[in-house]
Amino acid sequence: MGIYLNPGNVDFQEVLNSKIYVDKSELIQYTNSVLRTTQKYICVSRPRRFGKSMAANMLTAYYSRGCDSREMFQGLKIAKHTDFEKHLNQYNVIHLNMRDYLTESENMKQLIQFVEEDLLDELQQEFADLRMPRRRTLVKVLEQAFAQYKIPFVFIIDEWDCIFRVHKSDAASQKTYLDFLRNLLKDKSYIALAYMTGILPIKKYGEHSAINAFYEYSMTDASPIEEFTGFTEQEVRQLCEKYQMPFTETKKWYDGYCVDGVSIYNPKSVVEAMLRGKFSNYWTQTETYEALKIYIQSNEFGVQDVILKLLAGEKEKIDTTTFSNDMVTFATKDDVLTLLVHLGYLTYNAETKEIWIPNDEVMEQFISTVKVMGWRNIVVALETSERLLQATLSGDEETVAELIEQAHQANASILKYNDENALSCVISLAYYSAQKNYTLHREMPAGKGFADIVFEPNRNCDLPALIVELKWGYSAEEAVEQIKQKDYLDCLKNYSGEVLLVGVNYDKEKRHTCRIERVKI
C-alpha cells in the first residue's frame, strides 16, 4: 500500500466513522458502468464542502488493490448490486490531491516534476520486477506496467482545478498543466477510469480542448448523477427526524440548489445544523465575504442590477454557454453569474435557464457583502425593513407609504420607475426582514388572477398573512378592491387566521399611498 498508488481505505473509513454519514455509494454503480468505455473520463465540479473529497476517498477504497474493503462496503447500498464483487479492489488506483502539490511547488514545472517523481518512486516499489522502459517517463512506465501485468489504472484526481483558482491569470502555467493532464490521461489504454473533482468545469482553451474528452458533471448540468451532488430531500428528512430538527426550517436554510430538477441541500451545513442543534451560517463561514465581493463589486456588465433583483427574490435568465470556465475571463454579466453558480452562491435551473439565490444561508452572505461594499440604496431598504413590517402589521398606512416611497426612489436608477414589476422587486427587498417569519410568493396564482406579493406565515408563527397589490396611476383603495374582487384570498387555502390586504399605489408625481384592511379566513 502506497501514499499515491493503491493508498487503501483509511480515509474513507474515517468518513464511515463520523457521527453523520449519508450513503452515496451508488455513485460507484455509475462509475462501474463506464469502466473501460469512452465515458470513462469523468470530471465532477461542485462548490467547496459539497462532498467531493468524500466521493474521491470512497472510490479509492472501492477500487484500490492496496486494501480489502469488502466488509467496509457490506452494509452500503452498492453492496446490493450484482457487479459489486466484480470490481471491488481489482484496480491499481492512483489518487492525487493537486492542492498538496500546488502548496509545495514554486511553479508549474516543479509541480509536474514532483507528481512524476512521486509516482515513479511508488511504481518502482510496487512492481519490483517491472521491465523498465529505456525512457523512464511516467507515461512510459505506466504503459509498461499495464502491458506486463494486465491490470489497468484508475486515476482519481482531487482538486484538479486549484491551479486555475490560485493562479487565475497565469495562462502559461494553466496551459502547461493541461498539456500534462492530456498527455497523462487522454487515449491511454492503461486507464480504466479517470475521475477528477474540482469547483470549476474544464477550462476552454482552443487547441487544448483535447482534455474535453472528459464528461463533465457540474452545478449547471449533473445528469445522470445529480443525486450525488449533495443531500437529497429524502435524506435530509431522515436526518431531521433522527436529530429532531424541524424540516421546514432546514429546507429554508440549506435547500434551493436545483440540479437538473433534483432539489439538493448543502451537505456541510445540514450536518453542522444537525450536530449543533441550531440553524446558522455554516458553509459561508469557511470563507470571507471577499470571495463574493470580488465578483459583484464592479457593475461593468450590469451585475449589480441583477444582484438587486436576486436579493428581492427575483429570478434571472442567463446564458451559461459563454463561460470560459476560469475566474478572470468575463465577456458578459452572464459569465460572472455562471461563475457564482459554480461557486455555490447562486443556483441554476437548466430547463428554464434561470438563476436565483438558493437559501437563507447564502442570502445572509449576499446581504453582509453588499453592506460592507456600501451599496447605500440597498442598505437603506434593508435597515428600514423591520420598521416597514411593523408599520404594516399595525396598520400605519402613512408610514408604510413613506418607507416604500423611500425605497422606490433610492433604487429608481437601477430599475424602471413606472413599472409594477420593478415596484414589486423594490417592495420585496424593502420587506426583507419579513423573510424571518414569512415565505414570500411573487405573482402567486390566486382566484381569478395572480396576487402580486403574498406573505405566508411560517409554521408556528402567529403573525397575520399579507397580500400586497401594487398599482400605478390608480389608487391604493382600488388595489385593495382588486384583491377582493379577484378572490386573491383563495391562494391561502392552507391558512386560517387574520389577513392584511395591503394596497400600494403611486402616481406620476411619484407620490405613494397605502391602504390596509384586515379580514379573517
Side-chain angles (χ1 to χ4, degrees):
M1 186 172 73
I3 299 173
Y4 309 103
L5 175 61
N6 294 326
N9 55 25
V10 174
D11 291 336
F12 186 54
Q13 184 62 61
E14 286 192 3
V15 175
L16 295 177
N17 293 343
S18 301
K19 290 183 178 180
I20 292 180
Y21 169 69
V22 174
D23 187 354
K24 294 292 183 179
S25 63
E26 286 185 310
L27 171 63
I28 296 171
Q29 181 64 16
Y30 178 75
T31 56
N32 281 346
S33 73
V34 300
L35 286 168
R36 305 299 284 169
T37 71
T38 55
Q39 288 79 44
K40 65 185 177 183
Y41 297 100
I42 296 174
C43 182
V44 175
S45 58
R46 304 178 204 159
R48 55 193 172 77
R49 308 309 295 273
F50 263 66
K52 298 185 297 295
S53 295
M54 184 282 294
N57 290 333
M58 178 181 69
L59 294 174
T60 298
Y62 176 76
Y63 289 116
S64 176
R65 296 176 67 246
C67 56
D68 181 356
S69 301
R70 180 173 283 97
E71 184 177 346
M72 177 181 293
F73 283 95
Q74 204 58 56
L76 303 184
K77 295 176 182 178
I78 184 60
K80 299 176 182 178
H81 290 269
T82 56
D83 61 351
F84 167 66
E85 296 276 354
K86 178 180 178 181
H87 301 291
L88 178 65
N89 301 134
Q90 297 298 308
Y91 297 87
N92 288 314
V93 170
I94 291 178
H95 186 172
L96 303 171
N97 187 318
M98 300 311 297
R99 178 168 285 280
D100 293 341
Y101 284 100
L102 183 63
T103 301
E104 66 179 21
S105 57
E106 297 180 359
N107 51 55
M108 190 52 53
K109 182 179 179 180
Q110 191 176 64
L111 181 149
I112 294 171
Q113 176 188 339
F114 287 167
V115 171
E116 292 182 334
E117 288 176 350
D118 286 347
L119 292 182
L120 283 171
D121 284 346
E122 293 204 4
L123 284 165
Q124 288 178 307
Q125 294 173 18
E126 178 75 13
F127 308 113
D129 58 344
L130 179 65
R131 296 188 298 274
M132 282 293 175
R134 181 172 299 177
R135 288 187 293 120
R136 295 190 179 186
T137 66
L138 176 58
V139 170
K140 290 295 182 183
V141 172
L142 288 168
E143 289 175 338
Q144 180 59 38
F146 175 61
Q148 189 169 328
Y149 300 104
K150 309 301 181 186
I151 300 174
F153 289 81
V154 168
F155 274 79
I156 298 174
I157 303 178
D158 205 4
E159 298 266 16
W160 86 273
D161 66 328
C162 61
I163 285 85
F164 300 93
R165 290 184 275 123
V166 175
H167 299 298
K168 301 176 184 179
S169 302
D170 190 349
S173 291
Q174 292 172 11
K175 290 182 179 181
T176 298
Y177 176 63
L178 285 176
D179 282 338
F180 166 69
L181 291 179
R182 179 176 57 176
N183 185 50
L184 178 66
L185 303 174
K186 182 174 170 54
D187 297 332
K188 296 297 187 290
S189 58
Y190 54 73
I191 291 181
L193 175 74
Y195 183 94
M196 301 198 307
T197 76
I199 292 177
L200 297 175
I202 292 174
K203 170 67 180 173
K204 299 173 182 176
Y205 258 139
E207 63 185 275
H208 292 75
S209 62
I211 197 173
N212 285 348
F214 277 81
Y215 286 77
E216 297 189 64
Y217 306 92
S218 70
M219 296 301 282
T220 60
D221 185 3
S223 179
I225 60 173
E226 57 271 6
E227 67 179 284
F228 307 113
T229 304
F231 288 175
T232 64
E233 189 151 297
Q234 181 181 0
E235 291 164 346
V236 174
R237 283 186 182 275
Q238 292 171 348
L239 288 173
C240 286
E241 183 176 343
K242 179 179 179 180
Y243 287 89
Q244 299 182 326
M245 292 288 283
F247 171 73
T248 302
E249 191 73 2
T250 304
K251 183 178 181 67
K252 191 168 181 285
W253 269 91
Y254 308 122
D255 186 21
Y257 292 97
C258 179
V259 185
D260 288 305
V262 176
S263 185
I264 292 297
Y265 290 67
N266 184 321
K268 158 71 175 176
S269 299
V270 170
V271 168
E272 290 277 4
M274 297 299 115
L275 295 179
R276 295 171 182 261
K278 64 178 182 179
F279 300 105
S280 187
N281 208 322
Y282 298 115
W283 176 67
T284 55
Q285 283 180 353
T286 62
E287 191 167 305
T288 67
Y289 77 93
E290 291 288 344
L292 181 57
K293 175 185 174 183
I294 193 172
Y295 297 110
I296 66 174
Q297 62 186 349
S298 171
N299 200 30
E300 181 181 357
F301 304 116
V303 171
Q304 289 184 17
D305 302 359
V306 177
I307 297 300
L308 171 60
K309 296 178 182 178
L310 299 178
L311 288 171
E314 293 271 331
K315 296 182 178 181
E316 177 84 0
K317 284 186 178 293
I318 66 168
D319 178 6
T320 63
T321 62
T322 62
F323 182 51
S324 296
N325 298 348
D326 65 24
M327 305 180 85
V328 293
T329 308
F330 305 121
T332 68
K333 65 176 174 53
D334 288 358
D335 293 339
V336 179
L337 297 168
T338 301
L339 173 61
L340 294 182
V341 171
H342 290 295
L343 294 177
Y345 291 110
L346 298 174
T347 189
Y348 174 75
N349 186 317
E351 184 174 337
T352 64
K353 313 297 184 186
E354 292 177 318
I355 56 168
W356 64 93
I357 297 174
N359 52 48
D360 284 3
E361 182 178 40
V362 180
M363 178 67 81
E364 279 195 0
Q365 184 70 8
F366 269 97
I367 296 299
S368 298
T369 301
V370 299
K371 283 182 177 179
V372 173
M373 291 172 60
W375 289 11
R376 186 62 186 166
N377 53 339
I378 297 178
V379 173
V380 169
L382 295 173
E383 290 177 345
T384 60
S385 64
E386 184 62 34
R387 184 183 168 202
L388 174 60
L389 176 60
Q390 293 306 317
T392 305
L393 295 175
S394 64
D396 185 348
E397 299 169 340
E398 185 175 336
T399 299
V400 171
E402 176 188 346
L403 293 177
I404 289 178
E405 183 172 313
Q406 288 177 7
H408 197 181
Q409 291 179 351
N411 292 284
S413 62
I414 296 179
L415 301 167
K416 296 178 181 178
Y417 199 91
N418 294 329
D419 181 273
E420 286 184 19
N421 187 60
L423 177 58
S424 179
C425 177
V426 169
I427 289 181
S428 298
L429 185 63
Y431 276 103
Y432 172 74
S433 67
Q435 296 181 33
K436 291 181 292 186
N437 296 303
Y438 289 91
T439 298
L440 184 151
H441 304 280
R442 295 282 306 278
E443 292 295 320
M444 191 175 186
K448 302 172 185 176
F450 295 86
D452 285 339
I453 309 176
V454 176
F455 294 87
E456 184 178 9
N458 296 331
R459 188 176 299 179
N460 301 322
C461 172
D462 58 0
L463 295 174
L466 311 177
I467 299 179
V468 182
E469 185 64 25
L470 311 172
K471 289 293 181 183
W472 174 61
Y474 289 86
S475 70
E477 289 74 15
E478 287 176 285
V480 171
E481 282 303 311
Q482 180 170 319
I483 296 174
K484 299 175 183 177
Q485 292 173 8
K486 293 194 174 183
D487 299 325
Y488 287 170
L489 286 166
D490 184 58
C491 70
L492 295 169
K493 291 179 179 179
N494 299 322
Y495 170 82
S496 62
E498 188 176 43
V499 182
L500 301 189
L501 311 183
V502 183
V504 177
N505 179 71
Y506 64 103
D507 55 27
K508 294 180 180 179
E509 282 71 39
K510 300 182 180 180
R511 291 176 305 208
H512 292 61
T513 56
C514 174
R515 174 67 178 169
I516 301 175
E517 292 189 16
R518 299 174 185 268
V519 299
K520 284 191 175 182
I521 57 175

